[in-house]
Amino acid sequence: MEKDAQIIAFFKTSQLIDIFNTLADGIYISDAQGTTLWLNQASENLCGLPKSELIGRNVIDLEAMGIYKPSVTRLVIETGKPTTTIQLVNNKGKFLVTGHIIPDEKGNPELIVAHSRDITEAARASSQLEETVSLLKRYSEEIQLMKREALQNMSQALIGSSRSYLALLELVKKVAVVDTTVLITGETGVGKSFLAEHIHQLSDRCGSPFVHVNCSAIPETLIESELFGYQKGAFTGANQSGKIGLVKMADKGTLFLDEISELPYHLQSKLLLLLQNKTFMPIGGTKTYTADIRIIAATNANLLDLVRMGKFRHDLYYRLNILPINVPPMRERKEDIFPLLHHNLKKFNTKHHQKRRFSIEALDILHHYEWPGNVRELENLVERIVITAKEDEIQVTDLPEELRSIRDFEENIWSLGGKFSLLERLDKIEVEIISQALRSHKSTRKTATALGITQSLLMRRIKKYGILVDSDDAH
């Protein structure tokens, strides 16, 4: 203290003021009641008022005028101790301000000195840093997604350039990065299973198991034990060591429940519990287990119709239908037929060591075909043609009879010089339309709805023309 007094004595008062005024930081001195006594040049510039209008004014009044907020001097007076805060001065920027108490000889507060430092740039840099970190995180996620896409075996299910299919693929990318239940719907053969696995491979769970369960392929008496497992001695004939179910095998990964509409009604409540709480109980068990899994379900049935018929739980339907994805059939994306045909031709040429190519006539028939079996039918048909074609150029005669008959029918039905009368042509057109609709919609009820007629009228037409209908489809 004695040395400090010596140093201060060395300087004249005017010199000390000059020193304070050279500082970039603000120095603001008030008495113990908050009346302004003195401030340096930096503080004067920040306050935006000449020193003469500030000295003698109380900090509370100046705060009310909006010169600075909050007043650190006021906070020091109220708390009775040194205080640091972020202060906005005259709407010019943010400042880190600390108020110090200078006591008199008896230790009572005599002066309050506020020291302010401009942190506007630092705050801006911090905000920019947060934005940059957020941006880098998003870029990192996108890069990871692109890496996963690059590692995918781009099979026929992801071939297509139609507007509807490109929109589907964009939706799949968005769905893949969120860890939520997905319901994939669409006709048989559109590629629902492949799409489910593609979602898994694009997700954060890609390094963990993808367990595919076909609910229609497992006998009803076994599906509960297959899914949830059982404890040893749970039932007669059970493995004495018990069995781990497919749910537990999918832990940390994805459980794909294909043909979910075929899940027995009495098991649907158990699946609902798994969806809601990620918990399950093996057969014969006395305690629940947890499974960190994502569930993807798929069906070609109308689950809402099954709900109305009492065959599917409505609460399970709504729990599954959080992120619905509908895969369009081939007849709704004709632009994708050529790319799919050529992709599969190349694939099976390689597999079977052939050099097949399509003739223009064969391609025309394949392009106009309705493809009721969708992508799966197209893939199987191309492999069959590659194996059985007589020459390297695939001709119309190499196509299956049902496809050739469509072309023959069209040529004969529209030719004015043909052998058919008008009524015969109209009958044949009606037969072809009904037959195609039955192949596409599988049941007479759905076919009648698609054709805009009653089911009874459709059945009369089927009987009149002798159209063959599978007994399973006649409902």
Side-chain angles (χ1 to χ4, degrees):
M1 290 295 293
E2 182 179 348
K3 188 173 182 180
D4 289 343
Q6 290 174 351
I7 292 172
I8 292 172
F10 178 78
F11 292 105
K12 298 178 182 177
T13 302
S14 60
Q15 289 177 315
L16 286 174
I17 290 175
D18 289 341
I19 291 171
F20 286 149
N21 280 328
T22 62
L23 299 177
D25 294 349
I27 303 294
Y28 197 104
I29 302 175
S30 307
D31 64 16
Q33 288 72 45
T35 300
T36 304
L37 299 177
W38 185 84
L39 62 158
N40 70 348
Q41 189 65 50
S43 284
E44 183 179 6
N45 293 336
L46 292 174
C47 291
L49 290 175
K51 192 179 302 183
S52 58
E53 293 187 24
L54 295 171
I55 293 176
R57 303 283 292 274
N58 193 279
V59 294
I60 296 177
D61 296 330
L62 296 173
E63 184 179 23
M65 292 169 59
I67 301 300
Y68 33 63
K69 52 184 178 182
S71 166
V72 72
T73 302
R74 174 181 59 79
L75 296 176
V76 171
I77 293 171
E78 292 174 354
T79 61
K81 58 184 180 181
T83 302
T84 299
T85 187
I86 301 297
Q87 187 180 75
L88 184 64
V89 180
N90 205 27
N91 293 320
K92 288 185 176 180
K94 292 180 179 179
F95 296 83
L96 182 66
V97 186
T98 301
H100 302 273
I101 299 174
I102 307 297
D104 59 16
E105 295 176 354
K106 296 181 180 179
N108 297 318
E110 181 177 16
L111 300 173
I112 298 173
V113 177
H115 168 236
S116 60
R117 173 162 293 178
D118 190 351
I119 60 167
T120 304
E121 290 303 319
R124 185 179 293 116
S126 176
S127 176
Q128 289 173 344
L129 179 61
E130 291 177 4
E131 292 176 4
T132 303
V133 169
S134 176
L135 196 61
L136 286 172
K137 182 180 178 183
R138 182 163 63 86
Y139 285 161
S140 176
E141 290 173 352
E142 291 178 357
I143 290 170
Q144 290 300 319
L145 185 61
M146 287 188 287
K147 283 183 178 179
R148 291 171 195 153
E149 286 180 314
L151 292 173
Q152 290 299 297
N153 174 23
M154 301 296 284
S155 83
Q156 76 284 353
L158 290 182
I159 301 295
S161 57
S162 62
R163 182 180 300 178
S164 61
Y165 203 66
L166 291 177
L168 170 70
L169 295 183
E170 282 302 311
L171 177 59
V172 164
K173 288 180 183 180
K174 293 177 181 178
V175 165
V177 297
V178 293
D179 202 36
T180 307
T181 304
V182 179
L183 177 63
I184 305 175
T185 58
E187 296 177 5
T188 300
V190 292
K192 299 186 293 294
S193 299
F194 181 86
L195 212 59
E197 189 166 3
H198 186 64
I199 290 171
H200 169 76
Q201 293 298 335
L202 293 180
S203 74
D204 289 337
R205 295 178 179 268
C206 61
S208 298
F210 175 83
V211 178
H212 184 166
V213 182
N214 190 323
C215 298
S216 65
I218 304 174
E220 187 173 333
T221 54
L222 297 178
I223 192 166
E224 182 174 8
S225 62
E226 289 295 315
L227 278 175
F228 302 106
Y230 56 80
Q231 302 288 354
K232 63 179 182 179
F235 51 85
T236 304
N239 190 312
Q240 290 305 306
S241 59
K243 180 178 181 178
I244 296 175
L246 296 170
V247 169
K248 192 62 179 176
M249 289 175 61
D251 196 36
K252 308 297 183 186
T254 301
L255 180 68
F256 174 47
L257 298 176
D258 201 2
E259 303 296 346
I260 187 68
S261 60
E262 300 300 318
L263 187 70
Y265 193 86
H266 71 276
L267 285 183
Q268 292 177 18
S269 58
K270 201 163 183 177
L271 176 60
L272 181 64
L273 185 65
L274 178 65
L275 280 164
Q276 290 175 334
N277 304 329
K278 304 294 185 184
T279 60
F280 68 98
M281 184 181 293
I283 296 175
T286 56
K287 66 176 184 177
T288 59
Y289 294 84
T290 60
D292 176 15
I293 58 174
R294 180 187 197 178
I295 291 180
I296 301 177
T299 180
N300 59 7
N302 189 319
L303 291 185
L304 269 180
D305 284 349
L306 295 180
V307 168
R308 296 186 189 101
M309 291 186 286
K311 296 181 179 180
F312 202 86
R313 292 179 63 108
H314 70 278
D315 47 3
L316 177 58
Y317 167 73
Y318 291 117
R319 192 65 185 80
L320 287 170
N321 199 40
I322 296 174
L323 288 175
I325 296 177
N326 181 258
V327 187
M330 290 294 297
R331 64 181 177 276
E332 293 180 8
R333 50 186 185 106
K334 289 284 190 179
E335 307 98 301
D336 297 335
I337 293 177
F338 281 154
L340 281 166
L341 285 170
H342 287 289
H343 171 84
N344 283 285
L345 181 67
K346 181 179 179 181
K347 171 183 171 182
F348 293 117
N349 270 337
T350 301
K351 179 179 178 181
H352 299 293
H353 310 289
Q354 298 291 346
K355 296 180 180 179
R356 307 298 194 202
R357 62 185 183 276
F358 290 112
S359 67
I360 294 175
E361 294 78 11
L363 267 179
D364 187 58
I365 291 176
L366 293 171
H367 182 250
H368 287 91
Y369 181 51
E370 286 294 312
W371 298 106
N374 293 295
V375 178
R376 186 182 301 144
E377 180 188 8
L378 185 149
E379 180 184 20
N380 294 339
L381 180 59
V382 172
E383 182 172 21
R384 175 172 143 195
I385 294 171
V386 166
I387 294 172
T388 60
K390 299 179 180 66
E391 303 291 340
D392 281 346
E393 184 171 72
I394 299 168
Q395 303 295 332
V396 172
T397 53
D398 295 316
L399 303 181
E401 172 62 29
E402 61 267 25
L403 271 73
R404 298 201 308 271
S405 64
I406 292 174
R407 187 194 67 158
D408 294 341
F409 165 79
E410 290 178 346
E411 286 181 351
N412 289 326
I413 208 68
W414 299 116
S415 173
L416 291 176
K419 61 183 179 180
F420 298 117
S421 68
L422 176 61
L423 291 178
E424 287 174 328
R425 294 183 187 194
L426 291 175
D427 285 346
K428 289 184 178 296
I429 290 172
E430 189 172 19
V431 169
E432 183 61 27
I433 291 172
I434 292 173
S435 298
Q436 285 192 23
L438 282 169
R439 286 196 297 268
S440 297
H441 299 288
K442 306 300 181 186
S443 74
T444 55
R445 180 178 57 80
K446 292 180 180 178
T447 299
T449 300
L451 295 176
I453 60 177
T454 63
Q455 188 177 18
S456 59
L457 175 58
L458 176 63
M459 296 307 296
R460 288 198 296 272
R461 289 291 190 272
I462 290 173
K463 184 177 181 181
K464 173 185 175 181
Y465 298 122
I467 299 172
L468 295 177
V469 181
D470 290 342
S471 58
D472 292 340
D473 294 338
H475 55 78

